């Protein structure tokens, strides 16, 4: 047995009960979150019993498991240090032959039923073009698609999106390339997070060390506090995944992955982090609330009959949409949502300027993900920042979503398949993080 392996391993199979007493004594992450009226125990229970089982199942569906990404884009900010040579950093792209025909056929319009009326997508190359909709479509419908694409290319994204038409963009099977500890660390990894916190993140002026911001966030307005918490929460979530899927030992070329208590304590223990660890975990819960709110707000977009999560397998596509709508119903039932209307609510000129600063800061962070030297870390970093960027886009498009037509594309608000896949997988990662945290609480209890 590896010295890093928690004992006993059987504990990993225990159900996740409410351990409020354990939190307060070993890992003080309890109570109401700042800047919203939601308590952590409520989120734990909601995630464990309603969200996690369904989102995990959704991520296994073909529509959501294949993600097209360009992992070869150069870093726009500094000369690259070279790519990680550790084998676990490698990402295995998915052969075109393995991609469902309805996915690889298509432009971003392909999840709409009106765009899926080509005769079984016989020619995938031609179907890649925007004009490859059924010739029986009216000229008005064709013009709507052209206008939509033109709008989508010019609208204000919160993320730097990969060009899916680039020869360097490849499909990746997310289930075969899971996020876990790869051994990527040191100056290259530090520079990425340092750049995010020091140059692109609103934070208290007194904070210097990016990974250990001890000072309280006094002096920051709500919007800037929210931004900082989102980035900190994303960082905490990624760290939790690495701690929970750590290479414990490798015997005869067969790796053994599992939770690493020593690594978890190093990153989150109140004593070892001088009190900062619990704050990071609270920011994870805050990020979960933000993305949960976005899912509840975007539900009307997917509830329209025109939206069809198209892979070419009619029966599975219908089941996938039913499951997705079921998840949306759950998100809408949550009673303590974050109120995004409290943001950018000042005078119109100042609010507009702050919102644009907010957007540009986040867009810059999405570009920094192209500077990550480990391909697997880059993959999941890009997906999760794009998912959060899509959530922000949704939260700031409420009026456009309310005006969506039932049976035709809308110029006011659209989501590409890439954004949809990133949004749901990013939220799935947060749901998994909170579930993994419950596991560590159980392990902490039994290690004392």
């Amino acid at each position: 047995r590896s010295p890093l392996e928690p004992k006993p391993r059987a504990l990993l199979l225990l159900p996740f009960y409410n351990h409020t007493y354990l939190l307060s004594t070993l890992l003080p992450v309890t109570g109401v979150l700042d800047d919203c009226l939601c308590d952590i125990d409520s989120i734990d229970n909601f995630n464990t019993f309603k969200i996690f089982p369904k989102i995990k199942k959704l991520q296994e569906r073909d529509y959501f498991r294949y993600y097209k990404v360009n992992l070869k884009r150069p870093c726009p900010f500094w000369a690259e240090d070279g790519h990680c040579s550790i084998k676990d950093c490698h990402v295995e792209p998915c052969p075109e032959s393995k991609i469902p025909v309805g996915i690889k056929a298509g432009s971003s319009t392909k999840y709409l039923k009106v765009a899926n009326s080509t005769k079984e997508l016989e020619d995938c190359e031609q179907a890649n073009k925007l004009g490859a909709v059924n010739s029986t479509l009216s000229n008005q419908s064709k013009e709507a698609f052209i206008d939509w694409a033109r709008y989508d290319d010019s609208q204000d994204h919160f993320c730097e999106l990969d060009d899916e038409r680039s020869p360097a963009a490849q499909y990746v099977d997310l289930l075969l390339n899971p996020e876990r500890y790869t051994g990527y660390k040191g100056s290259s990894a530090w520079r990425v997070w340092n750049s995010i916190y020091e140059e692109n993140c609103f934070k208290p002026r007194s904070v210097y060390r990016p990974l250990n911001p001890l000072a309280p966030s006094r002096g920051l307005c709500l919007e800037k506090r929210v931004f900082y918490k989102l980035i900190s929460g994303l960082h905490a979530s990624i760290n939790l995944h690495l701690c929970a899927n750590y290479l414990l030992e490798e015997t005869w070329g067969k790796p053994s992955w599992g939770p690493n208590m020593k690594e978890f304590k190093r990153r989150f223990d109140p004593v070892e982090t001088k009190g900062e660890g619990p704050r990071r975990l609270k920011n994870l819960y805050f990020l979960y609330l933000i993305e949960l709110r976005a899912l509840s707000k975007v539900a009307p977009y997917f509830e329209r009959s025109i939206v069809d999560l198209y892979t070419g397998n009619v029966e599975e596509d219908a089941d996938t949409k039913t499951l997705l709508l079921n998840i949306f119903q759950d998100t809408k039932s949550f009673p303590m949502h974050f109120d995004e209307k409290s943001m950018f609510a000042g005078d119109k000129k100042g609010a507009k300027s702050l919102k644009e600063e907010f957007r540009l800061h986040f867009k810059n962070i999405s570009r920094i993900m192209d500077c990550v030297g480990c391909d697997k870390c880059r993959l999941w970093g890009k997906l999760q920042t794009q998912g959060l960027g899509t959530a922000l886009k949704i939260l700031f498009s409420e009026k456009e979503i309310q005006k969506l037509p039932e049976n035709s594309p809308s110029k006011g608000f659209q989501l590409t398949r890439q954004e949809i896949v990133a949004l749901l997988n990013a939220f799935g990662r947060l749901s998994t993080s909170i579930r993994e945290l419950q596991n560590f609480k159980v392990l902490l209890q039994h290690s004392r």
Side-chain angles (χ1 to χ4, degrees):
R1 172 177 294 164
S2 163
L4 296 177
E5 184 176 333
K7 51 184 182 182
R9 286 298 294 270
L11 284 174
L12 303 184
L13 304 177
L14 286 177
F16 294 84
Y17 299 114
N18 190 338
H19 292 283
T20 305
Y21 70 95
L22 177 63
L23 280 172
S24 61
T25 56
L26 303 181
L27 195 62
V29 185
T30 57
V32 177
L33 295 173
D34 297 335
D35 293 319
C36 58
L37 299 175
C38 183
D39 66 280
I40 286 172
D41 287 345
S42 296
I43 298 175
D44 281 340
N45 290 328
F46 180 77
N47 182 67
T48 297
F49 299 110
K50 283 204 167 185
I51 295 297
F52 179 75
K54 295 176 184 176
I55 198 76
K56 188 174 184 295
K57 188 176 179 182
L58 187 76
Q59 289 174 283
E60 295 170 355
R61 298 296 176 91
D62 281 354
Y63 188 88
F64 289 99
R65 70 183 286 180
Y66 297 108
Y67 179 62
K68 198 167 190 180
V69 62
N70 184 354
L71 297 176
K72 298 178 182 178
R73 285 176 61 167
C75 173
F77 299 108
W78 57 77
E80 295 188 61
D81 301 313
H83 272 63
C84 173
S85 59
I86 302 171
K87 66 176 182 178
D88 292 315
C89 288
H90 177 67
V91 168
E92 189 65 42
C94 195
E96 284 282 324
S97 60
K98 298 289 186 182
I99 306 299
V101 62
I103 293 178
K104 67 182 177 182
S107 66
S108 57
T109 66
K110 282 292 181 279
Y111 62 88
L112 292 183
K113 285 186 177 178
V114 70
N116 292 330
S117 51
T118 54
K119 50 175 182 166
E120 291 302 314
L121 304 166
E122 290 176 353
D123 190 337
C124 291
E125 290 302 316
Q126 288 184 350
N128 247 331
K129 300 175 183 176
L130 183 63
V133 289
N134 194 313
S135 58
T136 60
L137 287 176
S138 68
N139 287 333
Q140 185 178 9
S141 295
K142 290 179 183 177
E143 287 173 9
F145 280 117
I146 294 169
D147 286 344
W148 167 12
R150 191 179 296 131
Y151 170 80
D152 199 52
D153 286 340
S154 64
Q155 70 174 308
D156 291 336
H157 287 286
F158 279 80
C159 278
E160 187 82 12
L161 300 180
D162 284 347
D163 182 358
E164 294 188 73
R165 297 165 296 182
S166 167
Q170 295 179 298
Y171 284 103
V172 173
D173 185 337
L174 298 174
L175 298 183
L176 297 182
N177 293 275
E179 183 181 22
R180 58 191 179 194
Y181 184 79
T182 64
Y184 175 64
K185 56 186 176 181
S187 60
S188 176
W190 183 88
R191 177 156 50 166
V192 169
W193 285 109
N194 184 69
S195 180
I196 288 173
Y197 281 105
E198 287 298 309
E199 301 170 31
N200 296 283
C201 190
F202 303 107
K203 63 184 186 305
R205 293 181 185 274
S206 58
V207 173
Y208 177 72
R209 292 184 63 208
L211 305 188
N212 188 24
L214 299 177
S217 52
R218 284 190 291 266
L220 291 183
C221 64
L222 171 65
E223 293 81 3
K224 294 184 179 182
R225 290 200 307 272
V226 166
F227 191 98
Y228 180 77
K229 288 178 179 181
L230 295 181
I231 302 308
S232 174
L234 177 61
H235 196 183
S237 179
I238 290 172
N239 280 336
L240 258 173
H241 301 148
L242 305 187
C243 295
N245 292 283
Y246 202 93
L247 181 58
L248 302 175
E249 61 182 348
E250 188 164 3
T251 306
W252 302 105
K254 293 184 178 180
S256 173
W257 302 87
N260 184 326
M261 283 297 301
K262 183 178 179 181
E263 190 68 21
F264 176 81
K265 289 179 180 179
R266 185 178 75 82
R267 296 173 188 262
F268 298 109
D269 182 85
V271 176
E272 294 198 32
T273 62
K274 298 181 180 178
E276 182 55 28
R279 189 177 303 167
R280 294 171 186 163
L281 293 174
K282 282 191 174 183
N283 291 338
L284 160 65
Y285 281 95
F286 185 81
L287 173 59
Y288 180 93
L289 278 185
I290 292 291
E291 295 199 12
L292 181 71
R293 178 61 165 170
L295 291 181
S296 72
K297 302 293 279 190
V298 81
Y301 180 85
F302 290 92
E303 288 166 352
R304 298 177 301 158
S305 60
I306 191 176
V307 175
D308 179 23
L309 304 177
Y310 190 68
T311 68
N313 184 330
V314 177
E315 186 175 340
E316 180 175 308
D317 293 346
D319 288 344
T320 299
K321 183 172 181 181
T322 298
L323 177 59
L324 180 63
L325 294 182
N326 193 263
I327 291 172
F328 285 142
Q329 284 302 117
D330 285 336
T331 66
K332 289 192 284 187
S333 73
F334 187 72
M336 293 173 281
H337 275 294
F338 174 78
D339 181 12
E340 74 283 356
K341 292 179 182 177
S342 59
M343 296 176 62
F344 310 112
D347 68 279
K348 289 187 177 180
K349 186 176 180 180
K352 185 177 180 181
S353 174
L354 184 59
K355 182 178 178 180
E356 179 63 5
E357 189 181 4
F358 193 101
R359 185 186 72 83
L360 291 176
H361 268 291
F362 194 84
K363 194 168 185 176
N364 231 21
I365 288 173
S366 75
R367 297 175 71 207
I368 291 174
M369 289 302 161
D370 283 319
C371 300
V372 177
C374 160
D375 278 352
K376 188 167 288 184
C377 308
R378 182 183 293 206
L379 163 67
W380 286 102
K382 285 167 74 82
L383 181 143
Q384 289 172 88
T385 51
Q386 186 181 7
L388 176 52
T390 304
L392 294 173
K393 171 181 169 179
I394 291 166
L395 290 180
F396 300 136
S397 302
E398 182 176 20
K399 291 181 180 178
E400 290 79 4
I401 293 173
Q402 289 174 345
K403 296 177 182 177
L404 288 170
E406 173 62 31
N407 295 309
S408 63
S410 165
K411 297 180 186 179
F413 179 83
Q414 292 293 344
L415 292 175
T416 66
R417 179 183 173 274
Q418 191 184 35
E419 288 176 306
I420 294 169
V421 172
L423 175 68
L424 272 300
N425 273 284
F427 185 65
R429 292 277 73 204
L430 295 177
S431 177
T432 300
S433 290
I434 289 178
R435 183 68 184 260
E436 286 168 343
L437 183 55
Q438 310 311 305
N439 195 12
F440 277 114
K441 293 171 192 173
V442 175
L443 293 172
L444 270 174
Q445 180 190 23
H446 286 266
S447 67
R448 294 298 173 105

